[in-house]
Amino acid sequence: MKKLSFIERDLSVLWHPCTQMKDHESLPLIAIKKGEGIFIEDFEGNRYIDAISSWWVNLFGHCNPIINNAIKEQLDTLEHVMLGGFTHESAVVLSEKLLKVSPKGLSKCFYSDNGSSAVEIALKMSFQSWRNQGNTTKTKFVSLENSYHGETLGALAVSDVALYKQTFAPLLMDVITAPSPDCYHRELGESWKDYSVRQFAAMDKILKEQADEICAVIIEPLIQCAGNMRMYHPIYLTLLRAACNKYKIHLIADEVAVGFGRTGTLFGCEQGSISPDFLCVAKGLTGGYLPLAATLTTEAIYETFYDDYEKLTGFFHSHSYTGNALGCRAGIATLGIFQQQNIIEKNKPLAEAMRQATAHFVDHPNVSEVRQTGMVLAIEFVKNKQTREPFAWQERRGLKVYQYALTQGVLMRPIANVVYFIPPYVITESQIQYLAKVAWQGIQLAVKD
Ligand SMILES: *Cc1c(COP(=O)(O)O)cnc(C)c1O
């Protein structure tokens, strides 16, 4: 199969995600033939380091032998069975293992098949839980400025990234938006901690004044990933948890992107020493193999649904592929690798290597910030370093970094003008150094007139 004809056939039948399809008149699609470890390989034999884990999903490399074997085993036993009225071993085992490693207090798993659905489920459960308790005034959600929680209408409503949201604004429920603790905006000399504490005051005020109307607050712990990889201090989580307890408001932690080690701990919540009322996971749950998501919640919330059928307090929500056996088995294998290979510890020197390899970027005349939380490192470049004036978005300078990186054998896909690494954990220190070199050269090219 010739590459060209393959791509032509693609463009005649496929519509790609998050893409202005007209771009592909000049921006070639890349047809991938296979994956191996950190690399993906196209039909011409070009290999690319997957520096962004294929949209943040891959944890242990492509075609990981352990996960491959687990799925093959499951495939020959049971591919799928409906989870309404039925169950299977992999769904039970994954739930047990997932709850064991999750923040304490979470005791029930509800499965779906993507992060947006996991968020929708948390929102609906929170709302209905209050309703089941006779509280009908709580109908609103609070989310952060610059947040991202997915693309379906409910998840989009609690998001705040204009590019995705603006067009659909008339369709979306009303949400209360609180200022973000995003530390990019801190004053010169102000610490992440001080800024995050300061930003919490506005959140506290909202919760205090509108507690009667608010079901839940939804946040992305520590990193607003789709919101340009902006980061904040874990103290914000601690303060938010305390305030939610005080004002009787649920806390939804959307760890769809940051879960499974990205922040340096298995879950971001751990760094604020908190347990949410709902924990949403997806992306890394299957190691980047299969669409599976879960919404974890507490016994206390579960009990508000548990009653005689006629009371109609059950959670009447389902997806056809809820608890898919292949996905669950991949999830079990993924959690097994974390445990058996002590991944969280093993990642520490890799995170340090990422820091060292990019330390000199702060001296670049167009770099406004280099920031890092665990295994996520972001480099923001701007038009004017002093004023931090960004380049006009229409200039699409990040795209130039993407294109350059491809010529160097790296898949690096900046968000706006933020170049970031969120690599699979099988990356080596020398590959990290290479990424830094390519990022530097890419930025050099992108900032030229
Ligand atoms: C990607 C993402 C989602 C949506 O997950 P999908 O599987 O793409 O629907 C939700 N929340 C966060 C924080 C994400 O990064």
Short mmCIF file of all heavy atoms in Angstrom, two decimals, residues 201-255:
data_model
loop_
_atom_site.label_atom_id
_atom_site.label_comp_id
_atom_site.label_asym_id
_atom_site.label_seq_id
_atom_site.Cartn_x
_atom_site.Cartn_y
_atom_site.Cartn_z
N ALA A 201 -8.97 32.84 47.51
CA ALA A 201 -9.93 33.73 48.19
C ALA A 201 -11.21 33.92 47.38
O ALA A 201 -12.32 33.87 47.91
CB ALA A 201 -9.27 35.09 48.48
N ALA A 202 -11.06 34.08 46.06
CA ALA A 202 -12.23 34.30 45.21
C ALA A 202 -13.11 33.04 45.17
O ALA A 202 -14.34 33.12 45.18
CB ALA A 202 -11.79 34.68 43.80
N MET A 203 -12.47 31.89 45.13
CA MET A 203 -13.22 30.63 45.14
C MET A 203 -13.99 30.50 46.45
O MET A 203 -15.17 30.15 46.47
CB MET A 203 -12.24 29.46 44.97
CG MET A 203 -12.85 28.09 45.16
SD MET A 203 -14.06 27.64 43.89
CE MET A 203 -13.02 26.81 42.68
N ASP A 204 -13.31 30.80 47.55
CA ASP A 204 -13.95 30.68 48.86
C ASP A 204 -15.19 31.56 48.95
O ASP A 204 -16.23 31.16 49.47
CB ASP A 204 -12.95 31.05 49.96
CG ASP A 204 -13.49 30.68 51.34
OD1 ASP A 204 -13.55 29.47 51.63
OD2 ASP A 204 -13.88 31.58 52.09
N LYS A 205 -15.08 32.75 48.40
CA LYS A 205 -16.19 33.70 48.43
C LYS A 205 -17.39 33.14 47.65
O LYS A 205 -18.53 33.19 48.11
CB LYS A 205 -15.72 35.03 47.82
CG LYS A 205 -16.69 36.18 47.91
CD LYS A 205 -15.96 37.50 47.69
CE LYS A 205 -16.88 38.70 47.84
NZ LYS A 205 -17.80 38.87 46.70
N ILE A 206 -17.13 32.60 46.47
CA ILE A 206 -18.20 32.02 45.66
C ILE A 206 -18.89 30.89 46.41
O ILE A 206 -20.12 30.82 46.49
CB ILE A 206 -17.63 31.49 44.31
CG1 ILE A 206 -17.22 32.65 43.42
CG2 ILE A 206 -18.64 30.59 43.61
CD1 ILE A 206 -16.37 32.24 42.21
N LEU A 207 -18.08 30.01 46.98
CA LEU A 207 -18.65 28.83 47.66
C LEU A 207 -19.47 29.26 48.88
O LEU A 207 -20.55 28.73 49.14
CB LEU A 207 -17.55 27.86 48.08
CG LEU A 207 -16.68 27.31 46.94
CD1 LEU A 207 -15.73 26.24 47.47
CD2 LEU A 207 -17.52 26.74 45.80
N LYS A 208 -18.95 30.23 49.60
CA LYS A 208 -19.63 30.71 50.80
C LYS A 208 -20.96 31.36 50.45
O LYS A 208 -21.99 31.07 51.06
CB LYS A 208 -18.71 31.74 51.48
CG LYS A 208 -19.21 32.25 52.81
CD LYS A 208 -18.18 33.18 53.40
CE LYS A 208 -18.67 33.75 54.70
NZ LYS A 208 -17.66 34.64 55.29
N GLU A 209 -20.94 32.21 49.43
CA GLU A 209 -22.15 32.98 49.11
C GLU A 209 -23.20 32.17 48.37
O GLU A 209 -24.39 32.47 48.45
CB GLU A 209 -21.76 34.22 48.27
CG GLU A 209 -21.04 35.25 49.12
CD GLU A 209 -20.51 36.43 48.30
OE1 GLU A 209 -20.70 36.44 47.06
OE2 GLU A 209 -19.92 37.32 48.92
N GLN A 210 -22.77 31.16 47.60
CA GLN A 210 -23.74 30.45 46.76
C GLN A 210 -23.86 28.97 47.09
O GLN A 210 -24.34 28.17 46.28
CB GLN A 210 -23.37 30.65 45.28
CG GLN A 210 -23.39 32.12 44.88
CD GLN A 210 -23.06 32.30 43.40
OE1 GLN A 210 -23.86 32.00 42.53
NE2 GLN A 210 -21.87 32.77 43.13
N ALA A 211 -23.44 28.61 48.28
CA ALA A 211 -23.44 27.19 48.68
C ALA A 211 -24.79 26.51 48.44
O ALA A 211 -24.84 25.35 48.05
CB ALA A 211 -23.02 27.05 50.14
N ASP A 212 -25.86 27.24 48.66
CA ASP A 212 -27.21 26.66 48.52
C ASP A 212 -27.51 26.21 47.09
O ASP A 212 -28.35 25.36 46.87
CB ASP A 212 -28.29 27.68 48.92
CG ASP A 212 -28.23 27.97 50.39
OD1 ASP A 212 -27.52 27.22 51.10
OD2 ASP A 212 -28.89 28.94 50.83
N GLU A 213 -26.82 26.84 46.12
CA GLU A 213 -27.11 26.53 44.71
C GLU A 213 -26.09 25.57 44.10
O GLU A 213 -26.28 25.10 42.99
CB GLU A 213 -27.03 27.81 43.86
CG GLU A 213 -27.93 28.95 44.26
CD GLU A 213 -27.45 30.21 43.56
OE1 GLU A 213 -27.42 30.22 42.31
OE2 GLU A 213 -27.06 31.16 44.27
N ILE A 214 -24.99 25.35 44.80
CA ILE A 214 -23.87 24.65 44.16
C ILE A 214 -23.84 23.16 44.51
O ILE A 214 -23.79 22.78 45.68
CB ILE A 214 -22.52 25.31 44.55
CG1 ILE A 214 -22.49 26.77 44.07
CG2 ILE A 214 -21.35 24.53 43.96
CD1 ILE A 214 -21.33 27.58 44.62
N CYS A 215 -23.87 22.33 43.47
CA CYS A 215 -23.72 20.88 43.64
C CYS A 215 -22.27 20.53 43.93
O CYS A 215 -21.98 19.79 44.86
CB CYS A 215 -24.10 20.14 42.35
SG CYS A 215 -25.78 20.30 41.81
N ALA A 216 -21.39 21.02 43.06
CA ALA A 216 -20.00 20.58 43.12
C ALA A 216 -19.06 21.57 42.47
O ALA A 216 -19.46 22.38 41.64
CB ALA A 216 -19.86 19.23 42.41
N VAL A 217 -17.81 21.47 42.86
CA VAL A 217 -16.72 22.17 42.18
C VAL A 217 -15.96 21.12 41.41
O VAL A 217 -15.67 20.04 41.94
CB VAL A 217 -15.74 22.83 43.18
CG1 VAL A 217 -14.62 23.54 42.43
CG2 VAL A 217 -16.47 23.79 44.09
N ILE A 218 -15.64 21.41 40.15
CA ILE A 218 -14.81 20.47 39.36
C ILE A 218 -13.49 21.12 39.02
O ILE A 218 -13.44 22.29 38.60
CB ILE A 218 -15.55 19.97 38.10
CG1 ILE A 218 -14.65 18.99 37.32
CG2 ILE A 218 -16.03 21.12 37.20
CD1 ILE A 218 -15.38 18.17 36.28
N ILE A 219 -12.41 20.38 39.24
CA ILE A 219 -11.07 20.91 38.96
C ILE A 219 -10.19 19.84 38.33
O ILE A 219 -10.41 18.65 38.49
CB ILE A 219 -10.35 21.39 40.25
CG1 ILE A 219 -10.52 20.32 41.34
CG2 ILE A 219 -10.81 22.73 40.70
CD1 ILE A 219 -9.30 20.17 42.17
N GLU A 220 -9.15 20.31 37.65
CA GLU A 220 -8.06 19.44 37.20
C GLU A 220 -6.94 19.62 38.22
O GLU A 220 -6.34 20.68 38.28
CB GLU A 220 -7.54 19.89 35.83
CG GLU A 220 -8.53 19.84 34.70
CD GLU A 220 -8.11 20.79 33.57
OE1 GLU A 220 -7.36 20.35 32.69
OE2 GLU A 220 -8.53 21.96 33.59
N PRO A 221 -6.66 18.62 39.04
CA PRO A 221 -5.62 18.78 40.05
C PRO A 221 -4.24 19.13 39.46
O PRO A 221 -3.76 18.46 38.55
CB PRO A 221 -5.59 17.41 40.74
CG PRO A 221 -6.98 16.90 40.57
CD PRO A 221 -7.39 17.37 39.20
N LEU A 222 -3.68 20.20 39.93
CA LEU A 222 -2.29 20.66 39.68
C LEU A 222 -1.95 21.17 38.28
O LEU A 222 -1.14 22.08 38.13
CB LEU A 222 -1.27 19.58 40.06
CG LEU A 222 -1.38 19.04 41.49
CD1 LEU A 222 -0.23 18.05 41.76
CD2 LEU A 222 -1.39 20.13 42.53
N ILE A 223 -2.53 20.59 37.23
CA ILE A 223 -2.18 21.04 35.88
C ILE A 223 -3.44 21.22 35.04
O ILE A 223 -4.25 20.30 34.93
CB ILE A 223 -1.25 20.04 35.14
CG1 ILE A 223 -0.10 19.58 36.03
CG2 ILE A 223 -0.71 20.67 33.84
CD1 ILE A 223 0.77 18.49 35.40
N GLN A 224 -3.59 22.41 34.47
CA GLN A 224 -4.66 22.63 33.50
C GLN A 224 -4.06 22.29 32.14
O GLN A 224 -3.46 23.13 31.48
CB GLN A 224 -5.15 24.08 33.56
CG GLN A 224 -5.75 24.41 34.93
CD GLN A 224 -6.43 25.77 34.96
OE1 GLN A 224 -5.82 26.78 34.61
NE2 GLN A 224 -7.67 25.81 35.40
N CYS A 225 -4.21 21.03 31.77
CA CYS A 225 -3.44 20.53 30.62
C CYS A 225 -3.85 21.18 29.30
O CYS A 225 -3.04 21.82 28.66
CB CYS A 225 -3.54 19.02 30.56
SG CYS A 225 -2.69 18.18 31.92
N ALA A 226 -5.11 21.02 28.90
CA ALA A 226 -5.52 21.60 27.62
C ALA A 226 -5.47 23.13 27.68
O ALA A 226 -5.36 23.79 26.66
CB ALA A 226 -6.91 21.11 27.23
N GLY A 227 -5.54 23.69 28.87
CA GLY A 227 -5.43 25.14 29.05
C GLY A 227 -3.97 25.55 29.08
O GLY A 227 -3.50 26.20 30.03
N ASN A 228 -3.22 25.14 28.08
CA ASN A 228 -1.80 25.53 27.91
C ASN A 228 -0.86 25.00 28.99
O ASN A 228 0.13 25.64 29.33
CB ASN A 228 -1.65 27.07 27.84
CG ASN A 228 -2.23 27.62 26.57
OD1 ASN A 228 -2.71 26.88 25.71
ND2 ASN A 228 -2.20 28.93 26.43
N MET A 229 -1.18 23.84 29.55
CA MET A 229 -0.29 23.22 30.55
C MET A 229 0.07 24.20 31.67
O MET A 229 1.22 24.30 32.09
CB MET A 229 1.01 22.70 29.90
CG MET A 229 0.78 21.55 28.95
SD MET A 229 0.31 20.05 29.83
CE MET A 229 -0.31 19.05 28.46
N ARG A 230 -0.94 24.92 32.14
CA ARG A 230 -0.71 25.85 33.24
C ARG A 230 -0.79 25.07 34.56
O ARG A 230 -1.55 24.11 34.67
CB ARG A 230 -1.73 26.98 33.19
CG ARG A 230 -1.57 27.88 31.96
CD ARG A 230 -0.32 28.74 32.07
NE ARG A 230 -0.10 29.59 30.90
CZ ARG A 230 -0.80 30.69 30.61
NH1 ARG A 230 -1.80 31.07 31.38
NH2 ARG A 230 -0.50 31.41 29.55
N MET A 231 -0.01 25.51 35.53
CA MET A 231 0.18 24.72 36.76
C MET A 231 -0.08 25.54 38.01
O MET A 231 0.02 26.76 37.99
CB MET A 231 1.60 24.16 36.78
CG MET A 231 1.88 23.24 35.60
SD MET A 231 3.62 22.75 35.50
CE MET A 231 3.57 21.82 33.96
N TYR A 232 -0.41 24.84 39.09
CA TYR A 232 -0.58 25.54 40.38
C TYR A 232 -0.14 24.66 41.53
O TYR A 232 0.15 23.48 41.37
CB TYR A 232 -2.01 26.04 40.54
CG TYR A 232 -3.10 24.98 40.51
CD1 TYR A 232 -3.55 24.39 41.69
CD2 TYR A 232 -3.71 24.60 39.32
CE1 TYR A 232 -4.57 23.45 41.68
CE2 TYR A 232 -4.73 23.66 39.30
CZ TYR A 232 -5.16 23.08 40.48
OH TYR A 232 -6.16 22.14 40.48
N HIS A 233 -0.10 25.30 42.70
CA HIS A 233 0.43 24.64 43.89
C HIS A 233 -0.63 23.75 44.56
O HIS A 233 -1.79 24.12 44.63
CB HIS A 233 0.91 25.73 44.86
CG HIS A 233 1.74 25.20 45.98
ND1 HIS A 233 1.19 24.66 47.12
CD2 HIS A 233 3.09 25.10 46.12
CE1 HIS A 233 2.17 24.27 47.93
NE2 HIS A 233 3.32 24.52 47.35
N PRO A 234 -0.20 22.61 45.10
CA PRO A 234 -1.16 21.68 45.73
C PRO A 234 -1.93 22.26 46.92
O PRO A 234 -3.00 21.72 47.27
CB PRO A 234 -0.29 20.50 46.18
CG PRO A 234 1.10 20.78 45.76
CD PRO A 234 1.14 22.02 44.97
N ILE A 235 -1.44 23.33 47.50
CA ILE A 235 -2.16 23.96 48.63
C ILE A 235 -3.59 24.31 48.22
O ILE A 235 -4.51 24.26 49.03
CB ILE A 235 -1.39 25.22 49.14
CG1 ILE A 235 -2.05 25.81 50.40
CG2 ILE A 235 -1.36 26.32 48.11
CD1 ILE A 235 -1.67 25.16 51.67
N TYR A 236 -3.74 24.64 46.95
CA TYR A 236 -5.08 25.01 46.46
C TYR A 236 -6.07 23.85 46.64
O TYR A 236 -7.22 24.05 46.99
CB TYR A 236 -5.01 25.42 44.99
CG TYR A 236 -6.26 26.11 44.48
CD1 TYR A 236 -6.42 27.49 44.58
CD2 TYR A 236 -7.30 25.38 43.90
CE1 TYR A 236 -7.57 28.13 44.12
CE2 TYR A 236 -8.45 26.01 43.44
CZ TYR A 236 -8.58 27.37 43.55
OH TYR A 236 -9.72 28.00 43.09
N LEU A 237 -5.58 22.64 46.41
CA LEU A 237 -6.43 21.45 46.57
C LEU A 237 -6.84 21.29 48.03
O LEU A 237 -7.99 20.98 48.35
CB LEU A 237 -5.69 20.19 46.10
CG LEU A 237 -5.22 20.16 44.64
CD1 LEU A 237 -4.42 18.89 44.38
CD2 LEU A 237 -6.42 20.23 43.70
N THR A 238 -5.87 21.49 48.90
CA THR A 238 -6.12 21.34 50.34
C THR A 238 -7.16 22.36 50.81
O THR A 238 -8.10 22.01 51.53
CB THR A 238 -4.79 21.55 51.11
OG1 THR A 238 -3.74 20.84 50.44
CG2 THR A 238 -4.91 21.07 52.54
N LEU A 239 -6.97 23.60 50.39
CA LEU A 239 -7.92 24.66 50.79
C LEU A 239 -9.30 24.39 50.21
O LEU A 239 -10.32 24.57 50.89
CB LEU A 239 -7.41 26.02 50.30
CG LEU A 239 -6.11 26.52 50.94
CD1 LEU A 239 -5.61 27.78 50.21
CD2 LEU A 239 -6.32 26.81 52.43
N LEU A 240 -9.33 23.94 48.97
CA LEU A 240 -10.62 23.69 48.31
C LEU A 240 -11.37 22.54 48.98
O LEU A 240 -12.58 22.61 49.18
CB LEU A 240 -10.38 23.39 46.83
CG LEU A 240 -11.63 23.15 45.98
CD1 LEU A 240 -12.57 24.35 46.02
CD2 LEU A 240 -11.23 22.83 44.54
N ARG A 241 -10.64 21.50 49.33
CA ARG A 241 -11.28 20.36 50.00
C ARG A 241 -11.91 20.82 51.32
O ARG A 241 -13.05 20.49 51.64
CB ARG A 241 -10.25 19.25 50.25
CG ARG A 241 -10.71 18.03 51.01
CD ARG A 241 -11.71 17.16 50.24
NE ARG A 241 -13.08 17.59 50.38
CZ ARG A 241 -14.12 16.95 49.85
NH1 ARG A 241 -13.95 15.86 49.12
NH2 ARG A 241 -15.35 17.40 50.02
N ALA A 242 -11.17 21.61 52.08
CA ALA A 242 -11.67 22.08 53.37
C ALA A 242 -12.92 22.95 53.18
O ALA A 242 -13.90 22.81 53.91
CB ALA A 242 -10.58 22.86 54.11
N ALA A 243 -12.87 23.82 52.17
CA ALA A 243 -14.02 24.70 51.93
C ALA A 243 -15.24 23.90 51.47
O ALA A 243 -16.36 24.18 51.89
CB ALA A 243 -13.65 25.76 50.90
N CYS A 244 -15.03 22.92 50.61
CA CYS A 244 -16.14 22.09 50.14
C CYS A 244 -16.79 21.35 51.31
O CYS A 244 -18.01 21.22 51.37
CB CYS A 244 -15.69 21.11 49.06
SG CYS A 244 -15.38 21.90 47.47
N ASN A 245 -15.97 20.89 52.23
CA ASN A 245 -16.52 20.24 53.43
C ASN A 245 -17.34 21.24 54.23
O ASN A 245 -18.46 20.96 54.65
CB ASN A 245 -15.40 19.71 54.33
CG ASN A 245 -14.74 18.48 53.72
OD1 ASN A 245 -15.25 17.89 52.78
ND2 ASN A 245 -13.59 18.11 54.26
N LYS A 246 -16.77 22.41 54.43
CA LYS A 246 -17.39 23.43 55.26
C LYS A 246 -18.74 23.87 54.69
O LYS A 246 -19.71 24.01 55.44
CB LYS A 246 -16.43 24.63 55.34
CG LYS A 246 -16.88 25.77 56.22
CD LYS A 246 -15.73 26.76 56.37
CE LYS A 246 -16.21 28.09 56.90
NZ LYS A 246 -15.14 29.12 56.73
N TYR A 247 -18.81 24.06 53.38
CA TYR A 247 -20.05 24.59 52.77
C TYR A 247 -20.94 23.49 52.19
O TYR A 247 -21.92 23.77 51.52
CB TYR A 247 -19.68 25.61 51.68
CG TYR A 247 -18.84 26.76 52.17
CD1 TYR A 247 -17.59 27.04 51.59
CD2 TYR A 247 -19.26 27.57 53.23
CE1 TYR A 247 -16.81 28.09 52.04
CE2 TYR A 247 -18.48 28.62 53.69
CZ TYR A 247 -17.25 28.88 53.09
OH TYR A 247 -16.48 29.91 53.55
N LYS A 248 -20.56 22.24 52.42
CA LYS A 248 -21.35 21.10 51.92
C LYS A 248 -21.54 21.14 50.39
O LYS A 248 -22.64 21.27 49.86
CB LYS A 248 -22.71 21.03 52.64
CG LYS A 248 -22.57 20.81 54.14
CD LYS A 248 -23.83 20.28 54.76
CE LYS A 248 -23.62 19.73 56.15
NZ LYS A 248 -22.51 20.34 56.94
N ILE A 249 -20.42 21.03 49.75
CA ILE A 249 -20.36 21.04 48.28
C ILE A 249 -19.45 19.87 47.88
O ILE A 249 -18.44 19.61 48.53
CB ILE A 249 -19.78 22.39 47.79
CG1 ILE A 249 -20.81 23.52 48.06
CG2 ILE A 249 -19.40 22.34 46.33
CD1 ILE A 249 -20.25 24.91 47.93
N HIS A 250 -19.83 19.15 46.84
CA HIS A 250 -18.98 18.04 46.38
C HIS A 250 -17.74 18.57 45.66
O HIS A 250 -17.79 19.63 45.04
CB HIS A 250 -19.74 17.14 45.41
CG HIS A 250 -20.89 16.40 46.02
ND1 HIS A 250 -22.04 16.11 45.34
CD2 HIS A 250 -21.06 15.91 47.28
CE1 HIS A 250 -22.87 15.45 46.14
NE2 HIS A 250 -22.30 15.32 47.33
N LEU A 251 -16.69 17.77 45.71
CA LEU A 251 -15.48 18.09 44.98
C LEU A 251 -15.23 16.99 43.93
O LEU A 251 -15.12 15.81 44.28
CB LEU A 251 -14.28 18.19 45.93
CG LEU A 251 -12.92 18.45 45.29
CD1 LEU A 251 -12.92 19.73 44.45
CD2 LEU A 251 -11.83 18.54 46.35
N ILE A 252 -15.18 17.41 42.67
CA ILE A 252 -14.90 16.48 41.57
C ILE A 252 -13.47 16.70 41.10
O ILE A 252 -13.13 17.80 40.65
CB ILE A 252 -15.87 16.70 40.38
CG1 ILE A 252 -17.33 16.56 40.83
CG2 ILE A 252 -15.54 15.73 39.24
CD1 ILE A 252 -18.34 17.01 39.76
N ALA A 253 -12.64 15.69 41.21
CA ALA A 253 -11.26 15.79 40.71
C ALA A 253 -11.22 15.12 39.34
O ALA A 253 -11.40 13.90 39.23
CB ALA A 253 -10.30 15.12 41.68
N ASP A 254 -10.99 15.92 38.32
CA ASP A 254 -10.87 15.38 36.96
C ASP A 254 -9.40 15.07 36.70
O ASP A 254 -8.62 15.94 36.35
CB ASP A 254 -11.41 16.42 35.96
CG ASP A 254 -11.20 15.99 34.51
OD1 ASP A 254 -10.59 14.92 34.28
OD2 ASP A 254 -11.65 16.72 33.61
N GLU A 255 -9.05 13.81 36.95
CA GLU A 255 -7.66 13.37 36.73
C GLU A 255 -7.53 12.58 35.43
O GLU A 255 -6.67 11.71 35.29
CB GLU A 255 -7.16 12.56 37.93
CG GLU A 255 -7.13 13.37 39.22
CD GLU A 255 -5.84 13.22 40.03
OE1 GLU A 255 -4.83 12.73 39.48
OE2 GLU A 255 -5.85 13.62 41.22
#
